[in-house]
């Protein structure tokens, strides 16, 4: 695609860095950088390089995410992998990956790779139920345990279940880390690292003064523009920003979308789909989804050809 029709997608690593620094200052405990799903679509390797000196380690879901990104080449910090389902223990050791384990079988398989105990406090997946905890602790001296908590009550249950049986504990992602009672020895932010760190801009490839019903849905338009991003890229109806003004993506087709415009907006003008003027929060609000869904989706809108 020629340069002037291309969608521009910028990942601001300096913003991710300042997010990480401000989290660490605010919470006063270790920060484990959550870089699963290619750092929510921002690029695992470059995020790791950008904040390696700020964090104490990393979290991914599958060990192969860290292996494929060759994370151990750019960071010497340990990586917790939340779902080591079919990996080879030697490979984990080689890549400094500490697998989360939650059954005695897993523990036996991964004992040589410093496993971390995942404790279930309500998520009911990838973690050890309270009833099995004593048998896990009897089978191995774990130095570290964590839970994936969505609510404060789950953190309270975690505190009670863990007691003083571990050297290092963590429970909070972005939503709970500002509550001091949820911090323990570390926090595991994902989305909080990436807020305000992505800009996606795409040009108007057509501009029309509307007459009569427009598009598939027959919406009213005094003036509208077309962009070359559609639902095949993940785009949905929502906010955008053109020439200093908030506008709307009013209708989305397979590979293009309609944007409301002002009378002075012209062919080739840039439409901001995410950035300083269009926040993840505002997109998530319109889409009725989490900021995590909004970010991973918008990163596909930006990257897919
Ligand atoms: C994804 C994830 C996080 C980070 O979640 P955010 O809400 O994006 O901060 C933390 N811990 C675990 C175990 C996760 O899977």
């Amino acid at each position: 695609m020629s340069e002037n029709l291309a969608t521009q997608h910028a990942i601001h690593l300096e913003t991710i860095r300042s997010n990480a620094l401000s989290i660490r200052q605010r919470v006063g405990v270790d920060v484990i950088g959550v870089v699963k799903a290619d750092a929510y679509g921002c690029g695992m390797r470059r995020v790791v390089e950008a904040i390696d000196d700020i964090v104490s380690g990393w979290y991914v879901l599958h060990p192969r995410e860290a292996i494929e990104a060759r994370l151990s080449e750019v960071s010497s910090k340990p990586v917790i992998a939340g779902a080591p389902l079919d990996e080879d223990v030697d490979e984990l050791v080689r890549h400094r990956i500490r697998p989360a384990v939650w059954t005695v079988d897993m523990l036996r398989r991964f004992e040589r790779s410093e496993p971390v105990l995942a404790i279930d406090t309500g998520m009911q997946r990838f973690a050890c139920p309270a009833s099995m905890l004593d048998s896990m602790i009897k089978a191995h001296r774990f130095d570290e345990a964590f839970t994936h908590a969505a609510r404060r009550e789950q953190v309270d249950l975690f505190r009670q279940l863990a007691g003083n049986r571990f050297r290092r504990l963590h429970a909070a992602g972005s939503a709970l880390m500002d509550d001091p009672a949820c911090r323990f020895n570390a926090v595991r932010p994902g989305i909080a690292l990436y807020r305000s760190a992505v800009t996606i801009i795409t040009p108007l490839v057509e501009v029309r003064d509307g007459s009569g019903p427009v598009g598939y849905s027959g919406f009213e338009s005094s003036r509208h523009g077309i962009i070359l991003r559609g639902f095949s890229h993940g785009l949905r109806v929502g906010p955008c920003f053109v020439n200093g003004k908030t506008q709307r993506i009013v209708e989305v087709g397979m590979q293009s979308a309609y944007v409301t415009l002002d009378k002075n907006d012209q062919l080739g003008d840039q439409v901001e789909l995410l950035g300083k003027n269009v926040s993840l929060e505002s997109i998530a609000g319109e889409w009725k989804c989490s900021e995590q869904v909004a970010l991973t989706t918008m990163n596909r809108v930006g990257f897919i050809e």
Side-chain angles (χ1 to χ4, degrees):
M1 193 174 287
S2 74
E3 196 52 37
N4 51 352
L5 295 187
T7 297
Q8 298 168 48
H9 187 179
I11 308 291
H12 309 296
L13 294 172
E14 69 288 354
T15 303
I16 295 175
R17 211 180 142 74
S18 73
N19 287 345
L21 278 170
S22 100
I23 292 165
R24 198 182 61 183
Q25 268 170 16
R26 214 160 68 232
V27 299
V29 297
D30 283 353
V31 174
I32 297 170
V34 175
V35 290
K36 65 189 178 194
D38 201 26
Y40 294 30
C42 295
M44 187 191 298
R45 226 178 128 94
R46 58 182 154 194
V47 168
V48 165
E49 287 177 303
I51 61 172
D52 188 50
D53 59 321
I54 302 170
V55 303
S56 68
W58 309 102
Y59 178 90
V60 295
L61 186 65
H62 308 289
R64 66 173 178 277
E65 297 185 83
I67 294 168
E68 277 165 18
R70 302 198 312 276
L71 203 151
S72 64
E73 288 175 7
V74 286
S75 173
S76 58
K77 310 233 162 121
V79 184
I80 296 175
L85 296 171
D86 57 2
E87 317 292 328
D88 170 57
V89 64
D90 294 317
E91 196 168 27
L92 300 192
V93 172
R94 229 173 13 251
H95 289 272
R96 282 185 293 278
I97 294 170
R98 300 187 65 185
V101 296
W102 56 89
T103 67
V104 173
D105 274 0
M106 291 178 90
L107 174 60
R108 292 293 167 239
R109 193 148 54 93
F110 292 122
E111 199 146 19
R112 283 191 292 113
S113 53
E114 297 182 60
V116 176
L117 180 58
I119 298 178
D120 194 347
T121 52
M123 211 58 119
Q124 305 181 49
R125 64 169 199 215
F126 309 144
C128 179
S131 59
M132 302 293 298
L133 207 50
D134 286 343
S135 60
M136 288 295 280
I137 290 169
K138 209 172 288 164
H140 182 80
R141 261 187 83 89
F142 288 98
D143 74 321
E144 183 161 339
F146 74 99
T147 192
H148 189 24
R151 289 179 298 282
R152 171 67 191 267
E153 311 85 81
Q154 294 171 326
V155 176
D156 295 336
L157 176 60
F158 176 63
R159 179 178 297 99
Q160 193 187 320
L161 290 173
N164 54 10
R165 300 190 279 188
F166 305 91
R167 186 184 58 80
R168 184 172 155 91
L169 295 174
H170 40 96
S174 302
L176 292 172
M177 70 185 177
D178 285 313
D179 179 349
C182 298
R183 285 176 189 157
F184 302 96
N185 306 105
V187 295
R188 298 186 312 269
I191 193 68
L193 292 173
Y194 308 118
R195 281 193 188 113
S196 307
V198 180
T199 300
I200 301 171
I201 288 169
T202 196
L204 293 168
V205 299
E206 270 198 81
V207 172
R208 302 283 185 96
D209 293 313
S211 68
V214 181
Y216 292 97
S217 59
F219 65 91
E220 294 264 327
S221 157
S222 54
R223 192 169 169 82
H224 62 265
I226 306 294
I227 57 173
L228 291 178
R229 298 281 97 186
F231 57 73
S232 67
H233 309 100
L235 192 62
R236 306 182 205 172
V237 165
C240 64
F241 191 84
V242 186
N243 293 328
K245 205 172 158 203
T246 296
Q247 297 286 2
R248 289 192 58 71
I249 298 159
V250 272
E251 187 175 296
V252 179
M254 179 76 86
Q255 292 161 297
S256 65
Y258 291 88
V259 176
T260 60
L261 293 180
D262 246 17
K263 60 181 187 307
N264 294 324
D265 298 329
Q266 301 297 334
L267 190 67
D269 288 353
Q270 297 293 341
V271 180
E272 181 182 319
L273 302 178
L274 175 63
K276 268 198 193 65
N277 304 292
V278 186
S279 67
L280 279 180
E281 198 182 3
S282 67
I283 294 172
E286 288 238 11
W287 292 2
K288 300 196 190 344
C289 69
S290 66
E291 288 179 76
Q292 288 88 338
V293 172
L295 177 59
T296 52
T297 304
M298 288 308 290
N299 272 330
R300 279 189 284 121
V301 170
F303 275 130
I304 291 174
E305 272 307 302

